[in-house]
Amino acid sequence: MTTGVGSTEPEKSGGADLRGAGAGSWEPVIGLEIHVQLKTETKMFCRCRNGFGGEPNSQTCPVCLAFPGALPVPNRRAIEETIKLGLALDCTIAERAVFHRKNYFYPDNPKAYQISQYDEPLCARGHLDVPTEHGVTRIGITRAHLEEDAAKNVHVAASGRIHGATATLVDFNRCGTPLVEIVTEPDIHDAETAKRFLQLLRQTVVELELSDAELEHGSMRFDVNVSVRPAGSDELRTRTELKNMNSFSFAAKGIEREIARQIRIYEDGGVVEQETLHFDPAHEESPPLRSKEEAQDYRYFPEPDLVPVEPGKDLVDRLRATLQVLPGARITRIAETLSFYDADVLVTGGLDRLWTSLVDAGADPKEAANVLANQFVAAGIDPGTVDAGELAKLVSARAEIPRAAFDEALAKVGERGFSADPYLEQKVVADTAELDPIIQRIIDANPAQAEQYRSGKEGLLGFFVGRVMKETGGSADPRVVNERVRALL
Amino acid sequence: MARITRDEVLHVARLARIELSDDEVAKFQEQLANILEAVSKVSELDLSDVPPTAHPLEIANAWAEDVPRDCLPLDEVFANAPDRDGDYFRTPPA
């Protein structure tokens, strides 16, 4: 949730471009707020299990149900993981961080306050470098702080609609589970960069093993603030908030639509109203404040039940030492060998480590990237289960073995003890002496199609090639077949 | 005497979703004013050199390891619940 203490001054936005800005005289200003559920064993302030799937209210205790007298005790691992994320985002880690109470009254929180962080968050003033085709765009991170999640409310009504609900049912299993909130500077100026930022942040969080960060399960959620201003100006105009978007592509489309809408309003001489646009009512979080209530109505004050967190240099150094090369840097590095697009797909798809192993094992870089991004992803195999040496052999032999054999081998490449060798023995048939009689037979059997092809209907080439591939059980070399069908027709 | 307006009392009451009668508004107006008055005593001191205190104890890093413990059995979870629907707490529509 927005705390309102972050800087609202736009910082320099490295290399932002204005694609998607519509009219060239307007510059969109976009800021993001992301929530990530940490996958700790226990909740943030009690030792109830943190996890999906329990029966309603079965993962609760006096602390997360706010029974009188119960006292919170912070989860050390959640604090460490937040610091780790802060380090990955080049944040300054606070020497002293404080938890605050954020007061609001709503059935998703039995204490009537959420324990969050306010003006002394664990991590502040960082950035994430987002690689683009035109270099790197640096997006400032205002802060990353730790807080507790709220309960799940189910609004029930005879009609099944949220409006006109007759009661609210509350499951406190999620209440008190650790949540990291990341707030960016308004450094983003087009929808595509917003999408790339979110993808890269998600991959970073997943690689740090902090969170599953799955949008469809709500373990990663984000809100987008959008405004536009005359290009070249540094004013910040009224922004609208886009909430509950459940995919990155959907977010990019929503942002583009909203930018266009605001530009239209200004160009018609109108005024943009501050408002919140909800995109996915099914994932709707209950808004604790009604629109007329202000941030000051949260009445933040230091949580008296918790002492400050002072991470100390030793802890921060130890956590820093666990960081590996981050995805953004890997995209940039791989883009020296492949196109930016391929590098981006490999890294944000979690495939680049396997790609590196394939290349090390002798596979052609481009060929390996193609196979991974297409057939491998389509086969739904976990990259971690693959013997890179065997897959590299397969990739290198792709042109020489029948398509069917390649597909069959790829489907099994994640199996324990998989060997590519039996598949490599199946050679593709490229011998014209062997193929020509088959092709001729098929042409003779389909005189009408042959006639149409000869009179200009070239699309029928595929018909003949397909018949030949079928006839040969997929073992023919499609390039040779193509060539020979043309010649013989 | 610190002052708190009737509107401020009503505002705070609304944030807590509490309905107050006119008599109660007057009563809380006086009580809240007294509390503010007492706390404002602190501003009589020169504290320009004193850093803000988040907690009176001089300790930090009171935390626990991430190891699960037993949760409450459901009958205890719901022992004081005014309304229950299956294994859910039931509240007026929110």
Side-chain angles (χ1 to χ4, degrees):
Chain A
M1 286 166 194
T2 311
T3 57
V5 294
S7 154
T8 52
E9 285 299 309
E11 283 192 358
K12 245 180 61 56
S13 45
D17 70 60
L18 293 176
R19 280 170 305 134
S25 52
W26 295 94
E27 180 185 48
V29 180
I30 302 162
L32 301 168
E33 198 179 297
I34 303 99
H35 285 97
V36 171
Q37 285 181 344
L38 296 181
K39 54 174 183 185
T40 49
E41 293 292 320
T42 69
K43 294 189 180 183
M44 186 58 228
F45 297 111
C46 61
R47 303 291 79 79
C48 287
R49 269 196 189 282
N50 170 25
F52 292 111
E55 294 298 309
N57 291 301
S58 63
Q59 291 164 198
T60 60
C61 76
V63 174
C64 54
L65 292 170
F67 286 1
L71 289 170
V73 181
N75 184 329
R76 176 189 176 128
R77 189 175 139 204
I79 291 170
E80 294 190 356
E81 298 198 334
T82 306
I83 295 171
K84 239 164 91 174
L85 178 60
L87 290 170
L89 298 173
D90 265 321
C91 288
T92 303
I93 307 304
E95 287 175 22
R96 186 181 93 138
V98 172
F99 288 106
H100 273 67
R101 289 189 182 180
K102 176 180 182 173
N103 297 278
Y104 70 90
F105 189 86
Y106 199 73
D108 67 359
N109 199 323
K111 300 194 297 297
Y113 58 85
Q114 174 196 35
I115 304 177
S116 180
Q117 296 195 272
Y118 187 53
D119 55 354
E120 295 184 78
L122 270 167
C123 319
R125 295 180 304 281
H127 57 84
L128 184 63
D129 287 337
V130 181
T132 72
E133 280 124 301
H134 322 289
V136 162
T137 300
R138 172 162 292 189
I139 308 301
I141 304 290
T142 311
R143 55 193 278 134
H145 78 233
L146 189 51
E147 61 187 28
E148 55 178 344
D149 210 343
K152 260 207 161 94
N153 286 355
V154 183
H155 304 286
V156 289
S159 71
R161 292 179 53 203
I162 287 175
H163 296 291
T166 56
T168 297
L169 304 183
V170 191
D171 171 8
F172 288 104
N173 285 352
R174 195 182 66 183
C175 187
T177 57
L179 201 59
V180 173
E181 176 181 308
I182 302 141
V183 181
T184 76
E185 293 290 305
D187 283 353
I188 302 170
H189 300 284
D190 64 277
E192 178 67 17
T193 304
K195 180 179 162 189
R196 284 198 188 288
F197 173 90
L198 288 167
Q199 284 173 329
L200 195 62
L201 180 67
R202 178 183 182 276
Q203 186 61 25
T204 303
V205 163
V206 168
E207 288 183 16
L208 290 170
E209 299 183 334
L210 307 182
S211 173
D212 299 326
E214 288 183 30
L215 298 180
E216 57 273 36
H217 294 145
S219 52
M220 177 173 178
R221 326 194 268 265
F222 58 90
D223 303 331
V224 188
N225 290 307
V226 180
S227 65
V228 301
R229 63 187 174 199
S233 128
D234 60 2
E235 68 175 309
L236 286 177
R237 294 194 172 193
T238 305
R239 62 190 192 189
T240 51
E241 193 176 15
L242 281 54
K243 274 177 124 56
N244 314 314
M245 288 174 294
N246 55 11
S247 90
F248 298 138
S249 303
F250 191 54
K253 280 192 205 110
I255 292 168
E256 266 166 20
R257 246 197 330 268
E258 179 56 16
I259 290 168
R261 188 186 73 91
Q262 291 188 14
I263 291 172
R264 215 161 41 236
I265 289 174
Y266 285 129
E267 295 197 333
D268 291 348
V271 175
V272 171
E273 302 283 342
Q274 180 152 7
E275 63 182 312
T276 300
L277 306 164
H278 293 271
F279 279 78
D280 181 9
H283 280 73
E284 185 154 344
E285 295 299 306
S286 322
L289 282 195
R290 306 302 177 266
S291 55
K292 281 184 182 162
E293 292 170 319
E294 303 286 336
Q296 67 192 30
D297 285 335
Y298 285 130
R299 294 153 293 154
Y300 280 96
F301 65 89
E303 163 61 277
D305 290 341
L306 293 170
V307 299
V309 177
E310 294 175 3
K313 191 173 176 307
D314 287 353
L315 175 61
V316 174
D317 286 348
R318 178 169 67 74
L319 294 170
R320 198 191 304 274
T322 65
L323 296 182
Q324 309 203 347
V325 184
L326 294 166
R330 301 206 311 275
I331 291 175
T332 304
R333 200 172 62 196
I334 293 172
E336 291 166 9
T337 309
L338 300 172
S339 70
F340 169 78
Y341 174 81
D342 286 341
D344 191 53
V345 166
L346 286 178
V347 173
T348 56
L351 297 164
D352 66 300
R353 291 181 203 281
L354 179 55
W355 175 81
T356 305
S357 306
L358 294 180
V359 174
D360 288 347
D364 173 69
K366 178 70 188 161
E367 190 73 8
N370 280 343
V371 170
L372 287 179
N374 298 301
Q375 292 91 338
F376 186 83
V377 167
I381 298 159
D382 174 0
T385 61
V386 173
D387 179 335
E390 295 302 309
L391 180 54
K393 282 196 238 171
L394 213 55
V395 168
S396 301
R398 183 156 77 120
E400 282 108 56
I401 62 175
R403 174 68 196 264
F406 179 81
D407 289 346
E408 194 188 328
L410 197 72
K412 293 184 178 161
V413 79
E415 290 175 8
R416 187 186 290 273
F418 169 83
S419 165
D421 294 339
Y423 302 95
L424 303 186
E425 284 162 15
Q426 304 179 36
K427 289 293 176 200
V428 74
V429 181
D431 182 358
T432 53
E434 197 174 325
L435 288 175
D436 278 0
I438 301 171
I439 295 170
Q440 193 58 55
R441 202 164 63 234
I442 288 168
I443 292 172
D444 293 345
N446 298 283
Q449 282 87 346
E451 198 45 52
Q452 284 176 32
Y453 175 84
R454 289 186 192 109
S455 59
K457 215 168 169 199
E458 296 216 354
L460 279 168
L461 185 69
F463 164 81
F464 289 102
V465 173
R467 286 293 162 95
V468 176
M469 295 306 290
K470 197 173 168 199
E471 184 76 20
T472 58
S475 68
D477 182 333
R479 278 172 310 182
V480 177
V481 173
N482 242 294
E483 223 168 81
R484 296 307 299 159
V485 169
R486 269 180 211 280
L488 292 171
L489 275 166
Chain B
M1 178 72 189
R3 292 233 309 275
I4 179 161
T5 66
R6 182 185 153 77
D7 279 351
E8 283 167 329
V9 173
L10 288 172
H11 181 63
V12 172
R14 193 172 69 244
L15 291 176
R17 306 294 181 266
I18 294 171
E19 197 177 353
L20 297 181
S21 68
D22 285 351
D23 287 351
E24 286 170 323
V25 173
K27 186 170 90 183
F28 288 126
Q29 202 175 339
E30 190 188 334
Q31 289 186 357
L32 289 171
N34 287 339
I35 291 169
L36 285 180
E37 174 85 11
V39 174
S40 66
K41 273 263 170 216
V42 176
S43 58
E44 291 170 15
L45 302 170
D46 177 9
L47 300 173
S48 48
D49 293 338
V50 181
T53 307
H55 201 279
L57 298 182
E58 295 262 325
I59 57 169
N61 301 341
W63 49 34
E65 298 305 321
D66 184 30
V67 179
R69 292 171 62 171
D70 286 346
C71 294
L72 275 189
L74 282 180
D75 57 335
E76 288 182 45
V77 167
F78 289 103
N80 295 314
D83 198 2
R84 176 178 175 175
D85 188 329
D87 289 338
Y88 289 92
F89 289 86
R90 185 184 171 97
T91 76

